[in-house]
Amino acid sequence: MPRLIRRLPEGPLDIIGDVHGELEALLALLHRLGVDVDRRTAPRHLVFVGDLIDRGPDSVAVVALVEWLVHAGVASVVAGNHELNVLAGDHKEGNGWYWGDASDHVQFDQRRVPFSSRLASATERAAIGAFLSELPLVLERDDLRIVHACWDPVAAAKLPQEGSIAALAAAFQQALDAELVSSGLRERAAEERAAFAQLQDQRTEPTRHLAAVAEEDSVYQLRNPVKLLTSGAEVAVLPGSHFFIGGKWRFVTRDRWWRRPVDRPTVVGHYWRRRDAPIEGRADVWDNLPPFDWSGNVFCIDYSVGRRFLERLRGRASNFNGGLGALRWPEREVVFDDRPAPEPTRA
Ligand SMILES: [Mn+2]
């Protein structure tokens, strides 16, 4: 059984953001970092922050390449929510490649557009699943920590030393299910949902805050340590501030955990950061934090290369907005797959 919190190797590191199946971007970035893929040598240890897979053109090859580097001892990986999804058997938009499902598609401009991702064969699926199921949730050493979405010491303390993340997430969820039933919250949330049966319809906005729905959604994230570390906390919105996204009305929003004190520099992915100036007036979980700033002790290295599949649908073939970045440690600068010079970051 894999250890869930492992020691980061000492020495300088290149910490690579969410790859999301973007093989070409990964090869270009590794080249810029001086990695010799064929010989499996790297000038500095590589760390992947998770979400290697989904949506992009070739998750199969990305995992194979990363596994090759991990087995050579030049790379480490933590699991992201996308890895957890496939390990848990969850079929989600963008992960049909794993299941060999060619009908996986995205709704784009009123059209149904299939993902053009390479599909895994049954053999590849088994190999990928075996590799991903060995991943830890956290890597740390005295001066640095890497986790996919959120650091929470209380949640981390609830983790066993070893375990498979999918089985653990399911066990925590089962315990929460039982608790929600016995506390009556499950029933109250069901009543609220029944009173507003059209939560999936944007045109029928609920006329009040659904407190039990909010609390139930929040409990599943906040109190499941595996979910919390891989996809972050969700907290109830203020009454009246519910919003419609991803096909339903929501009463919880992402918790900006990085605003609270964090004991050491912590690098995460997950949060679709923008590379260029934030767009004024558009909701941004980073609250318009400049693109290369730290938020206290926290730095997000996900510069949204995972958006490239959308950019391609809009007809773009180069000069993408989203990029694949690597945070060089201890230099604290970001190298991109498609930019010649590194960007300094700001504390
Ligand atoms: Mn993620």
Side-chain angles (χ1 to χ4, degrees), residues 98-172:
Y98 184 79
W99 312 108
D101 174 8
S103 74
D104 187 15
H105 65 278
V106 58
Q107 209 61 35
F108 180 80
D109 265 2
Q110 331 279 350
R111 287 180 296 140
R112 194 188 141 100
V113 185
F115 282 95
S116 50
S117 309
R118 171 175 156 194
L119 302 183
S121 68
T123 319
E124 286 167 335
R125 179 161 52 254
I128 291 167
F131 171 66
L132 298 181
S133 67
E134 292 292 312
L135 298 181
L137 290 169
V138 182
L139 292 163
E140 60 184 12
R141 65 187 199 195
D142 294 351
D143 67 334
L144 191 61
R145 175 186 300 112
I146 319 280
V147 61
H148 180 64
C150 170
W151 174 245
D152 184 302
V154 177
K158 290 185 189 149
L159 291 170
Q161 251 194 10
E162 302 182 330
S164 126
I165 58 170
L168 263 178
F172 280 118

Side-chain angles (χ1 to χ4, degrees), residues 18 51 81-82 148 230 270:
D18 310 36
D51 282 5
N81 52 310
H82 286 257
H148 180 64
T230 54
H270 189 65

Side-chain angles (χ1 to χ4, degrees), residues 85-322:
N85 287 341
V86 298
L87 291 171
D90 290 342
H91 294 242
K92 299 234 168 165
E93 182 184 291
N95 77 13
W97 68 273
Y98 184 79
W99 312 108
D101 174 8
S103 74
D104 187 15
H105 65 278
V106 58
Q107 209 61 35
F108 180 80
D109 265 2
Q110 331 279 350
R111 287 180 296 140
R112 194 188 141 100
V113 185
F115 282 95
S116 50
S117 309
R118 171 175 156 194
L119 302 183
S121 68
T123 319
E124 286 167 335
R125 179 161 52 254
I128 291 167
F131 171 66
L132 298 181
S133 67
E134 292 292 312
L135 298 181
L137 290 169
V138 182
L139 292 163
E140 60 184 12
R141 65 187 199 195
D142 294 351
D143 67 334
L144 191 61
R145 175 186 300 112
I146 319 280
V147 61
H148 180 64
C150 170
W151 174 245
D152 184 302
V154 177
K158 290 185 189 149
L159 291 170
Q161 251 194 10
E162 302 182 330
S164 126
I165 58 170
L168 263 178
F172 280 118
Q173 169 141 355
Q174 248 181 17
L176 289 171
D177 278 336
E179 207 184 299
L180 289 179
V181 169
S182 64
S183 71
L185 182 60
R186 169 62 47 80
E187 200 181 332
R188 282 186 286 129
E191 281 166 14
E192 284 183 354
R193 284 201 185 87
F196 293 92
Q198 300 303 316
L199 288 180
Q200 266 92 325
D201 186 346
Q202 186 159 16
R203 290 162 305 182
T204 55
E205 180 175 350
T207 50
R208 63 177 174 86
H209 182 65
L210 305 187
V213 168
E215 198 184 334
E216 191 184 57
D217 287 350
S218 170
V219 161
Y220 277 122
Q221 283 294 126
L222 259 179
R223 309 232 347 256
N224 186 329
V226 180
K227 292 285 246 185
L228 185 61
L229 268 52
T230 54
S231 48
E234 308 224 315
V235 290
V237 296
L238 293 172
S241 348
H242 50 269
F243 58 101
F244 192 87
I245 197 169
K248 68 176 187 186
W249 285 101
R250 293 179 194 260
F251 300 85
V252 290
T253 188
R254 285 176 157 183
D255 172 36
R256 284 131 160 106
W257 60 273
W258 47 84
R259 289 177 174 174
R260 300 188 287 273
V262 176
D263 68 334
R264 73 189 79 172
T266 296
V267 180
V268 298
H270 189 65
Y271 290 100
W272 290 50
R273 195 167 188 181
R274 298 193 174 95
R275 264 205 293 188
D276 305 304
I279 304 163
E280 289 299 328
R282 227 173 95 178
D284 170 19
V285 73
W286 293 101
D287 303 305
N288 294 330
L289 183 74
F292 299 103
D293 277 21
W294 288 70
S295 179
N297 252 345
V298 178
F299 192 83
C300 174
I301 187 61
D302 177 13
Y303 285 95
S304 311
V305 78
R307 274 167 60 189
R308 285 190 185 174
F309 85 99
L310 281 174
E311 296 192 63
R312 286 188 205 99
L313 290 180
R314 297 197 178 97
R316 200 180 276 253
S318 60
N319 293 318
F320 294 107
N321 288 320

